[in-house]
Amino acid sequence: MTSNVQAMPLRHYLQFTDLSADEYAHLFKRAAFIKAKFKAYEKYQPLADRTLAMIFEKASTRTRVSFEAGMYQLGGSVVHLTTGDSQLGRAEPIEDSARVISRMVDLVMIRTYGQDKIENFAAHSRVPVINGLTNEFHPCQILADIFTYIEHRGSIKGKTVAWVGDGNNMANTWLQAADLLGFKVHLSTPSGYEVDPAVVGVRSAASTQFFKDPMQACEGADLVTTDVWTSMGYEAENEARKKAFADWCVDEDMMKVAKPDALFMHCLPAHRGEEVSAEVIDGPQSVVWDEAENRMHAQKALMEFLLLGQV
Ligand code: CP
Ligand code: NVA
């Protein structure tokens, strides 16, 4: 029966650094186990009677479907809220919303604007809070991306990821992951769109190398990845960004200078002809569909961990 009194010490997943390297190793193993059960049509319902509240202040396809389907598959249920159809859109304080919502459910997932909002919600929540994307971070996506890398190529430790594009929530999270899990990021962003080191946090410089030329960033990479030129919330900058990012399109020439067995990833949604060419995203090195599917398997492992610990 649901009683949202935690058997587990309260843990939130607000940025990638909220878990340790050992805990990630556990999650990647659990994600593989949970995925295998799903593929074999075997029921696995450790979260029977648990409820997940999902709060969306920005649009979503993958995050909504993966959390909602994933929670039902684990035996639980889901409540879906948006700014427009709840009191959140009528300025009820975040603190009050957190106190109320977290008395009725076992887990909360939030997609919002500033990281400060989700931090504030978590500070007043009695149940675990998961970041489903903020302006600053997208940890669930990188969790799924690294799980996808491991499935295709084995451990990511010591490997090189080339980031081509905006210094955005995805870039920040890749940098946190590299520092924690021991791989390198070659980062190439247009001038004026660099990552903010203060957002990423204090890291050893060894895991990041900056490149003016995106082609150079891709040289010898094991994985090439990019994201939209204009993230949600920055739409007013769209025209200026189209000009600034024109040379930051991952095309076949960029993929050619990466390792011959390099993978291509994109969190999606993608704009063919902008940040990536159709030949690359629809080509043989692209694993974007596995990446999208793995959101669900990886997040099922995450929800199991936050509610039940290392089972
Ligand atoms: N990649 C990702 O988070 O997709 P959605 O915006 O569709 O949730
Ligand atoms: N950087 C993008 C990711 C979308 C999943 C955004 O924030 O809009």
Side-chain angles (χ1 to χ4, degrees), residues 59-64 111 132-133 138 141 232 267-269 295:
S60 168
T61 296
R62 280 143 289 268
T63 303
R64 166 136 192 218
R111 168 168 285 195
L133 181 145
H138 198 2
Q141 182 69 54
M232 291 180 278
C267 64
L268 306 176
R295 288 290 302 277

Side-chain angles (χ1 to χ4, degrees), residues 128-192:
V129 177
I130 298 172
N131 182 347
L133 181 145
T134 57
N135 291 348
E136 288 84 356
F137 298 114
H138 198 2
C140 291
Q141 182 69 54
I142 304 301
L143 175 69
D145 291 1
I146 295 175
F147 175 58
T148 305
Y149 186 88
I150 294 168
E151 277 191 327
H152 283 268
R153 297 285 183 264
S155 172
I156 198 165
K157 198 168 181 166
K159 298 290 164 67
T160 298
V161 175
W163 176 267
V164 175
D166 194 13
N168 65 9
N169 43 12
M170 285 289 297
N172 289 338
T173 313
W174 271 115
L175 295 183
Q176 288 194 333
D179 197 33
L180 192 65
L181 301 183
F183 60 93
K184 258 191 153 179
V185 178
H186 284 184
L187 196 71
S188 181
T189 58
S191 154

Side-chain angles (χ1 to χ4, degrees), residues 245-267:
F245 283 78
D247 293 334
W248 276 260
C249 171
V250 177
D251 57 14
E252 285 175 307
D253 289 340
M254 282 195 202
M255 291 305 295
K256 266 189 208 133
V257 299
K259 292 230 176 91
D261 69 343
L263 298 176
F264 172 77
M265 288 192 192
H266 189 311
C267 64

